[in-house]
Amino acid sequence: MSDSTLHIVVVGGGQAGADCVNALRQQGFSGRLSLIGDEPRLPYRRPPLSKACLLGQGTLDSLSLRPASAYEKLDVEVRTGQSVEHLDRKARQLQLLDGSQLGYDRLVLATGSRARRWTLAGGDRRNVHYLRTAEDLERLLPDWQPGRRLVIIGGGYIGLEVAAAARQHGLDVTVVESQPRLLARVAPPLLSDFYLQLHRDHGVEFALGQGVSQLLGEPDIKAVELSDGRRLDCDLVVVGIGSIPNTGLATESGLEVNDGIVVDASMQTSDASIWAIGDCCRHFNTFYQTSLRLESVPAAQEQAKVAAAAIMGKPLPVHAVPWFWSEQYDVKLQMIGQPVAEAAQVLRGDPAGADFSLCQLQDGRVVAAATVNRAQEFVALRRLVGERLPVDATVLADPDCSLKNLLPAAVA
Ligand code: FAD
């Protein structure tokens, strides 16, 4: 599609939206291109919000994905602080918060997801925090003081990254998790145990298998009451209980939605002139041959490129095996693939030394893996999983054997 008279609008100024306008220009789109975002700033990286930013490293301005001049160079009309309120698919028109209308020929929804809120009483108090946006961080920082008592509700990645940063910053931390183990939905038990020990070694307290029955205190929350009746005194609370895809525009306009805007392998929705990418969508993943909703930077980056290629009628990049990372203390985790509960496990290295890889093996192939402070093994494992290469389990388990030996020799 090289028609320079067409107007493509991308809704959502996050990772996926910013990468999509870039990819559209790279693919040769020469028509009018608009990026509409409801946050007051240019698209920025979210991962540092729960890592470097909480350690006082890096300002919010340093998080921008690109400077304003880059969008000018790309000839992208960027509107920040402007939400799209309605989508009229028949008229191919968007209604913006300021009441103006914007027509489109092709539309990309990159509306991301939002933090799941604590809906019981007390969830809206001043010292109850979430961490999804730069504004959330700005709201949290005045409470983020050494010596304060922090209760984190939710033992997922965000909660644990906040716990790590809080301990490094000198706060007292208790993590409350309703499941009996950390990261229960997303990681194998060995990894849960590793993180539990890592955080305990840094002085984090845990209440596992415990729900929260009440947040107590007026006007600020002063204690969190657990389902067993115990009370945890606190000065602030961070809620990290997952996120919800922003599907409102899609739902109200009758697009197919099922825990995410449903799209095919080319990121196209049930409307041939609309695509959806990033956290807000559930796409047909060609690697797994099933529908998935992924919430990670690499997924947003990849989907932006796929949608741009599809819109431009170019060959589609293939879906790579999903991966992402997390940083807690001096531990860098890299996860490849979707963990499989029934897979055999091969451990390389030593969890006690925070230096290991955990591979999940099925039918002679590594189907998923986690590397902890082993970047080199991550590179090899990403290929082993992504290319579904057969492996010899005894070689895989041999700590003296480099994983490179399991890769096919490069063709000269
Ligand atoms: P978003 O980044 O959420 O962007 C969507 C944008 O659209 C938002 O600005 C939203 O306000 C806007 N929007 C929504 N509706 C409208 C509307 N109607 N009109 C206009 N604008 C709208 N991933 C990793 O891989 N590794 C990590 O270590 C990691 N750490 C993270 C730490 C934190 C604290 C958070 C919050 C996320 C982290 N992630 C991490 C996840 C990663 O940041 C997301 O998967 C990624 O940002 C998704 O990009 P996106 O563009 O789809 O959505």
Side-chain angles (χ1 to χ4, degrees), residues 11-16 36-39 46-47 49-51 82-84 110-113 131-132 158 246 249 278-279 295-298 300 324-325:
V11 180
Q15 181 80 51
I36 317 288
D38 61 2
E39 291 188 67
R46 291 187 200 281
L49 296 178
S50 53
K51 307 175 183 73
Q82 187 63 261
S83 99
V84 174
T111 48
S113 53
L131 204 47
R132 177 78 207 172
I158 302 265
N246 290 323
L249 291 173
D279 282 14
E295 291 178 287
S296 73
V297 168
F324 82 99
W325 77 95

Side-chain angles (χ1 to χ4, degrees), residues 1 18 37 70 97 103 129-130 132 146 158 163 194 214 218 222 250 260 279 311 331 333 357 360 362-363 370 407 409:
M1 191 197 69
L97 183 64
H129 295 280
Y130 300 85
R132 177 78 207 172
I158 302 265
F194 165 73
Q214 298 189 70
E218 188 79 60
K222 293 269 185 269
D279 282 14
I311 292 170
V331 169
L333 168 77
S357 296
Q360 294 201 306
Q362 220 174 22
D363 302 327
L407 297 172

Side-chain angles (χ1 to χ4, degrees), residues 192-248:
S192 303
D193 294 345
F194 165 73
Y195 275 113
L196 183 63
Q197 195 55 50
L198 176 74
H199 281 277
R200 281 191 170 144
D201 290 346
H202 284 85
V204 177
E205 305 277 338
F206 286 93
L208 295 179
Q210 285 292 325
V212 169
S213 56
Q214 298 189 70
L215 301 181
L216 301 163
E218 188 79 60
D220 284 358
I221 298 301
K222 293 269 185 269
V224 171
E225 188 180 270
L226 303 180
S227 44
D228 67 1
R230 229 174 345 139
R231 282 185 182 194
L232 305 173
D233 293 335
C234 65
D235 302 302
L236 68 153
V237 176
V238 171
V239 180
I241 52 174
S243 56
I244 300 172
N246 290 323
T247 56

Side-chain angles (χ1 to χ4, degrees), residues 61-84:
D61 287 341
S62 69
L63 302 186
S64 289
L65 285 162
R66 290 181 190 88
S69 57
Y71 296 97
E72 277 164 31
K73 226 165 152 185
L74 288 171
D75 194 16
V76 178
E77 295 170 33
V78 183
R79 298 197 210 177
T80 53
Q82 187 63 261
S83 99
V84 174

Side-chain angles (χ1 to χ4, degrees), residues 157-178:
Y157 283 114
I158 302 265
L160 293 180
E161 288 186 349
V162 172
R167 286 303 299 139
Q168 288 168 282
H169 196 62
L171 285 85
D172 291 337
V173 181
T174 305
V175 175
V176 183
E177 167 56 53
S178 59

Side-chain angles (χ1 to χ4, degrees), residues 27-103:
Q27 297 273 358
F29 178 63
S30 58
R32 185 176 169 203
L33 187 53
S34 300
L35 177 66
I36 317 288
D38 61 2
E39 291 188 67
R41 55 186 68 237
L42 287 173
Y44 58 92
R45 294 174 291 131
R46 291 187 200 281
L49 296 178
S50 53
K51 307 175 183 73
C53 293
L54 291 177
L55 297 170
Q57 300 160 357
T59 59
L60 283 177
D61 287 341
S62 69
L63 302 186
S64 289
L65 285 162
R66 290 181 190 88
S69 57
Y71 296 97
E72 277 164 31
K73 226 165 152 185
L74 288 171
D75 194 16
V76 178
E77 295 170 33
V78 183
R79 298 197 210 177
T80 53
Q82 187 63 261
S83 99
V84 174
E85 298 288 295
H86 295 292
L87 161 58
D88 181 344
R89 292 202 284 130
K90 217 163 153 204
R92 289 194 178 175
Q93 202 142 61
L94 304 170
Q95 190 193 313
L96 308 189
L97 183 64
D98 65 6
S100 62
Q101 307 279 336
L102 188 67

